[in-house]
């Protein structure tokens, strides 16, 4: 072992400065690689335990891991924790038993422990806190939402309500970082909160992000279209829907991107109530009938043979006796009265029209000029270049057919004396964005291929660079030759000269020992000369 160490020392002394530096760098690189591999092999495989946690939950989870002496890593700005893969599921169950993470709010686990003697107000407050916490946890699971807070205000339950207009309201604060939520996501949050609280309407839910922007203001529904913003929003929705409906239909016929459709809608923004009453004289119906019948019988008769009293005994009243003796006449009278009441057919109609009715529609359509391939002569097809598509105008009949298709898709009905051009304006023009030609398609394909090659080259650029540096280093190392060490010529004794070895250039063992003792640096040169001298052909001695 001592001889090996001494030989290494001697070899080190023989190397030049560049060789020593290269050897030291290579040794350090190999040692560093071995140390890195050893540390990497001993490092446990970490997996994600929880992510997107709040500050309180992260602090509680890390405190528990430190108390259990479990190795862990914190990342993503302190919102995620990674632990060894063999302990992920066990730790999740242990932390769930402790109510961690709580989601920056108290959920329905607040009722897990029995609490006796609480007032009704405290119970209702705890329930409201639980609902707010559960909603905040659910909203946090949405893509793009880092954290959320929900505040709900409900009117108190009273026996006598003094204000009938008090309604439940809610406010939602979402932390989206530097991003922005889509309209569908904001609308989903509004309906999620509204359906979880009794008596809460989606329009009563306000959604605010961390930049102070009110995301739910543009989504409020105004059934009466009383405000100008509501009218414009509703008009834009109707026009966009109809334009997209026609444009997608034309794209399937004349090709994608070859049609531009814009629809203008006239919206009735007034609410009207119409009452109509109609009478039908021919539709009579007997409602009541009254019949009255009167019968009258009258009779008169004279009693005895003559008149009684003074007049009967006075002379000169003889004629009176004859008149009094006449019989009494009898008369009968019958009268009938009938009254009939008729009910005439009457129709009463009450019509209430809410705002939002489409009163009139007009559309403007631009279609791109049709591109067709010109006829090719088979005889000259081999030598001639590839033909290019040429524009071809559509006929008036084809334009009218396309216009009629647009009218039918929009459900337009021309009024008497109204032309189709006044409803739908359809023109064929050359679009600025032309259809790509075959040569352009090949060029685009070539650019895409080159881009894919560049991406692949960028991935392997580091590996290729390291390989090139290694090759250059090896070539430089192979070209380096050890520097010659001058051997001092010492005086030789007669005995040493007589003991010189054959073919050793006057180098004897005794001389070699003397040289080593006098100057150990000469050992390398001496051995090299000795070996080279011993391998020379005999004819050169």
């Amino acid at each position: 072992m001592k001889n090996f160490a001494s030989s290494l020392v001697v070899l080190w002394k023989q190397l030049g400065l560049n060789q020593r530096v290269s050897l030291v760098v290579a040794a350090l690189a190999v040692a560093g690689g071995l140390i890195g591999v050893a540390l990497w092999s001993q490092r446990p495989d970490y997996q994600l335990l929880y992510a997107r946690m709040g500050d309180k939950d992260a602090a509680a989870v890390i405190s528990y891991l430190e108390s259990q002496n479990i190795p862990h890593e914190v990342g993503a700005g302190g919102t995620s924790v990674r632990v060894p893969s063999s302990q992920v599921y066990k730790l999740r169950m242990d932390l769930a038993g402790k109510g961690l993470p709580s989601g920056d709010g108290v959920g329905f686990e607040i009722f897990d422990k029995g609490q006796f003697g609480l007032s009704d107000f405290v119970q209702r407050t705890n329930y409201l806190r639980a609902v707010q916490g559960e909603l905040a946890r659910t909203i946090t699971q949405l893509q793009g939402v880092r954290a959320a807070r929900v505040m709900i205000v409900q009117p108190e339950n009273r026996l006598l309500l003094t204000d009938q207009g008090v309604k439940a309201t809610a406010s939602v604060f979402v932390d989206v970082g530097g991003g922005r939520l889509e309209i569908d996501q904001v609308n989903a949050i509004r309906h999620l909160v509204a359906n979880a609280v009794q008596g809460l309407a989606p329009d009563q839910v306000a959604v605010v992000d961390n930049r102070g922007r009110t995301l739910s203001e543009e989504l409020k529904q105004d059934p009466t279209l009383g405000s100008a913003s509501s009218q414009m929003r509703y008009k834009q929705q109707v026009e966009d829907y109809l334009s997209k409906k026609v444009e997608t239909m034309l794209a399937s016929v004349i090709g994608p991107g070859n049609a531009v459709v814009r629809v203008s809608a006239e919206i009735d923004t007034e609410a009207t109530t119409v009452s109509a009453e109609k009478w039908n004289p021919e539709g009579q119906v007997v409602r009541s009938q009254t019949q009255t019948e009167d019968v009258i019988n009258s009779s008169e008769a004279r009693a005895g043979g003559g008149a009684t009293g003074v007049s009967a005994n006075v002379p000169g009243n003889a004629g009176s006796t004859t008149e009094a003796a006449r019989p009494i006449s009898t008369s009968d009278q019958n009268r009938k009265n009938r009254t009939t009441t008729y009910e005439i057919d009457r129709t009463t109609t009450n019509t209430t029209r809410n705002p939002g009715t489409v009163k009139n529609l007009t559309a403007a359509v631009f279609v791109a000029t049709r591109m067709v391939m010109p006829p090719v002569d088979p005889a000259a097809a081999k030598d001639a270049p590839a033909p290019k598509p040429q524009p071809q105008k559509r006929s008036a009949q084809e334009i009218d057919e396309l216009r009629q298709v647009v009218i039918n898709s929009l459900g337009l009905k021309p009024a008497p004396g109204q032309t189709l051009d006044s409803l739908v304006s359809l023109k064929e023009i050359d679009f600025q964005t032309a259809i790509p030609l075959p040569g352009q398609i090949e060029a685009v394909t070539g650019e895409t291929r080159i881009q894919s090659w560049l991406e692949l080259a960028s991935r392997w650029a580091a590996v290729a660079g390291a390989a090139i540096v290694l090759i250059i280093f090896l070539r430089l190392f192979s070209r380096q030759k050890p520097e010659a060490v001058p051997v001092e010529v010492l005086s030789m004794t007669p005995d040493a000269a007589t003991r010189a070895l054959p073919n050793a250039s006057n180098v004897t063992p005794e001389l070699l020992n003397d040289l080593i003792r006098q100057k150990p640096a000469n050992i390398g040169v001496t051995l090299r000369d000795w070996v080279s001298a011993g391998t020379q052909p005999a004819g050169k001695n």
Side-chain angles (χ1 to χ4, degrees):
M1 186 66 181
K2 184 177 180 181
N3 294 333
F4 179 74
S6 61
S7 63
L8 289 179
V9 172
V10 174
L11 183 62
W12 174 262
K13 292 180 179 180
Q14 294 179 0
L15 298 177
L17 180 60
N18 296 335
Q19 294 176 339
R20 291 180 182 181
V21 173
S22 302
L23 185 61
V24 170
V25 172
L28 292 177
V30 172
L34 293 176
I35 294 174
V37 170
L39 295 177
W40 179 79
S41 61
Q42 295 178 358
R43 183 174 178 270
D45 183 18
Y46 284 93
Q47 289 187 1
L48 183 65
L49 178 64
Y50 289 113
R52 295 193 301 177
M53 294 186 298
D55 296 338
K56 296 181 180 179
D57 291 338
V61 171
I62 293 174
S63 177
Y64 176 79
L65 295 177
E66 291 178 350
S67 63
Q68 299 295 326
N69 295 325
I70 298 175
H72 59 277
E73 292 181 349
V74 181
T79 60
S80 64
V81 178
R82 301 171 65 90
V83 296
S85 58
S86 59
Q87 304 181 12
V88 171
Y89 302 105
K90 182 178 181 299
L91 287 175
R92 286 180 180 176
M93 290 186 291
D94 295 342
L95 292 173
K98 296 181 176 297
L100 295 175
S102 60
D104 279 343
V106 180
F108 281 104
E109 65 272 6
I110 193 174
F111 298 105
D112 293 341
K113 298 180 180 180
Q115 298 177 356
F116 299 98
L118 298 180
S119 63
D120 181 66
F121 174 78
V122 176
Q123 290 287 359
R124 286 189 284 106
T125 303
N126 290 339
Y127 175 77
L128 192 60
R129 292 176 57 195
V131 172
Q132 294 177 163
E134 294 294 338
L135 287 174
R137 295 176 184 177
T138 306
I139 295 173
T140 308
Q141 302 302 319
L142 295 178
Q143 184 178 2
V145 179
R146 299 174 56 183
R149 294 290 300 272
V150 180
M151 287 73 73
I152 300 174
V153 178
Q154 283 186 319
E156 297 182 5
N157 296 326
R158 296 180 179 179
L159 182 61
L160 298 177
L161 297 178
T162 58
D163 189 357
Q164 299 291 341
V166 178
K167 298 180 180 179
T169 57
S171 300
V172 181
F173 173 81
V174 290
D175 184 4
V176 296
R180 185 180 180 91
L181 293 180
E182 299 293 337
I183 296 179
D184 295 339
Q185 292 178 305
V186 178
N187 201 22
I189 293 175
R190 294 170 63 242
H191 284 81
L192 175 67
V193 177
N195 292 331
V197 180
Q198 183 180 3
L200 181 60
D203 290 341
Q204 301 298 328
V205 180
V207 182
V208 183
D209 64 356
N210 57 322
R211 293 187 177 182
R213 296 174 298 188
T214 304
L215 307 179
S216 59
E217 187 65 25
E218 298 180 357
L219 298 177
K220 290 185 178 181
Q221 300 295 332
D222 187 2
T224 61
L225 298 181
S227 60
S229 60
S230 300
Q231 297 175 8
M232 293 300 297
R233 184 170 61 251
Y234 180 75
K235 184 175 184 293
Q236 182 180 3
Q237 292 175 356
V238 173
E239 293 176 349
D240 292 344
Y241 167 73
L242 296 176
S243 300
K244 185 177 180 181
K245 177 182 178 181
V246 178
E247 192 168 344
T248 53
M249 180 187 63
L250 293 178
S252 303
V253 178
I254 62 178
N258 291 330
V260 178
V261 181
R262 293 295 181 268
V263 177
S264 178
E266 183 181 355
I267 308 298
D268 186 6
T269 59
E270 296 181 356
T272 58
T273 302
V274 179
S275 299
E277 189 173 356
K278 183 178 180 181
W279 300 82
N280 186 11
E282 297 180 358
Q284 299 179 1
V285 179
V286 177
R287 182 176 183 181
S288 62
Q289 187 174 9
T290 304
Q291 185 174 355
T292 304
E293 184 177 355
D294 297 336
V295 179
I296 300 175
N297 295 323
S298 60
S299 62
E300 184 178 355
R302 181 182 294 274
T308 58
V310 176
S311 60
N313 297 321
V314 173
N317 290 339
S320 300
T321 304
T322 305
E323 293 177 359
R326 293 180 181 178
I328 299 173
S329 62
T330 302
S331 63
D332 297 331
Q333 183 180 2
N334 297 329
R335 186 179 59 182
K336 295 182 179 181
N337 185 13
R338 177 181 294 179
T339 302
T340 304
T341 303
Y342 294 92
E343 188 71 28
I344 300 177
D345 185 12
R346 183 182 64 176
T347 303
T348 302
T349 304
N350 294 323
T351 304
T352 301
R353 295 180 180 178
N354 293 325
T357 305
V358 179
K359 298 172 60 177
N360 188 20
L361 286 177
T362 56
V365 182
F366 288 101
V367 294
T369 305
R370 181 169 48 191
M371 307 296 291
V372 296
M373 296 295 295
V376 180
D377 188 5
K382 297 181 180 179
D383 300 333
K388 299 180 180 180
Q390 299 296 330
Q392 182 181 5
K393 295 291 185 179
R394 294 179 175 85
S395 62
Q397 182 180 359
E398 292 177 339
I399 296 295
D400 292 339
E401 290 177 355
L402 289 177
R403 182 182 290 107
Q404 187 62 42
V405 168
V406 175
I407 291 174
N408 293 338
S409 62
L410 293 177
L412 300 178
K413 296 181 180 180
Q418 190 176 17
T419 61
L420 298 179
D421 295 340
S422 61
L423 295 177
V424 176
S425 175
L426 193 147
K427 294 184 179 181
E428 182 182 16
I429 60 175
D430 296 333
F431 283 11
Q432 293 296 331
T433 305
I435 301 176
L437 302 178
Q440 296 176 351
I441 295 176
E442 295 177 358
V444 172
T445 306
E447 292 178 359
T448 306
R449 190 177 304 170
I450 293 174
Q451 186 177 2
S452 62
W453 290 347
L454 292 176
E455 292 178 357
L456 183 61
S458 63
R459 296 179 182 177
W460 294 95
V463 179
I468 293 173
V469 171
L470 180 61
I471 293 173
I472 295 174
F473 172 75
L474 293 177
R475 290 181 65 87
L476 294 176
F477 185 75
S478 63
R479 292 179 180 179
Q480 293 291 334
K481 296 181 179 180
E483 298 177 356
V485 180
V487 180
E488 298 180 1
V489 179
L490 305 175
S491 60
M492 299 175 58
T493 61
D495 296 337
T498 57
R499 289 178 292 175
L501 296 177
N503 300 328
S505 302
N506 297 327
V507 180
T508 60
E510 291 78 4
L511 178 60
L512 185 61
N513 292 331
D514 294 340
L515 294 175
I516 292 173
R517 286 193 297 269
Q518 294 178 13
K519 193 171 184 180
N522 294 331
I523 183 62
V525 178
T526 305
L527 290 176
R528 184 180 60 192
D529 294 342
W530 190 7
V531 172
S532 62
T535 56
Q536 292 178 357
K540 296 182 179 181
N541 292 336

